[in-house]
């Protein structure tokens, strides 16, 4: 193969990737989430997201709320789904839903 043709092909591929990133068609989304949301809610949402954004890659990390917030604050994750952040952290939080918790115990 001619070196010139290879270089032009690499250039064209790079330009296509840049356009894909700019238009939101490709890229990597890093999500940190508490395990319950990662297991019960995100699979369906991410499936629909991947159908629309076929060139995108998603990394899903599950951990407790404190670690989720730390991953977002440090840049390890792009966004997180966790309990509310305590005052003083420089994170924006928006409530997604209200989760009713129940005490579960034996009848006796």
């Amino acid at each position: 193969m001619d070196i010139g043709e290879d270089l032009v092909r690499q250039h064209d591929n790079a330009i296509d990737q840049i356009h894909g990133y700019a238009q939101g068609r490709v890229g990597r989304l890093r999500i940190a989430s508490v395990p319950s949301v990662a297991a019960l809610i995100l699979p369906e949402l991410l499936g629909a997201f991947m159908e629309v954004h076929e060139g995108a890659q998603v990394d899903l990390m599950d951990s407790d709320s404190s670690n989720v917030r730390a991953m977002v604050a440090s840049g390890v994750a792009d966004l997180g789904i966790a309990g509310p952040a305590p005052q003083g952290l420089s994170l924006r939080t928006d409530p997604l839903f209200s989760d009713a918790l129940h005490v579960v115990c034996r009848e006796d």
Side-chain angles (χ1 to χ4, degrees):
M1 174 177 291
D2 182 47
I3 293 174
E5 289 176 0
D6 191 39
L7 290 173
V8 169
R9 188 174 3 272
Q10 288 177 16
H11 171 268
D12 291 345
N13 288 339
I15 295 299
D16 287 344
Q17 284 186 327
I18 291 168
H19 285 156
Y21 279 109
Q23 296 167 358
R25 290 183 287 117
V26 299
R28 179 176 299 273
L29 176 61
R30 301 166 303 164
I31 303 172
S33 175
V34 293
S36 56
V37 174
L40 300 174
I41 297 173
L42 288 181
E44 184 177 337
L45 293 175
L46 291 177
F49 176 84
M50 297 303 291
E51 285 180 16
V52 175
H53 302 89
E54 293 178 7
Q57 296 176 342
V58 176
D59 295 335
L60 178 59
M61 303 160 278
D62 65 342
S63 190
D64 60 70
S65 288
S66 178
N67 283 329
V68 167
R69 290 189 295 270
M71 285 188 264
V72 173
S74 69
V76 170
D78 300 310
L79 62 92
I81 301 173
Q87 295 293 331
L89 291 180
S90 60
L91 296 173
R92 176 181 167 185
T93 62
D94 293 308
L96 292 177
F97 55 85
S98 177
D99 191 12
L101 299 177
H102 300 266
V103 172
V104 179
C105 60
R106 295 178 4 178
E107 287 188 22
D108 61 351

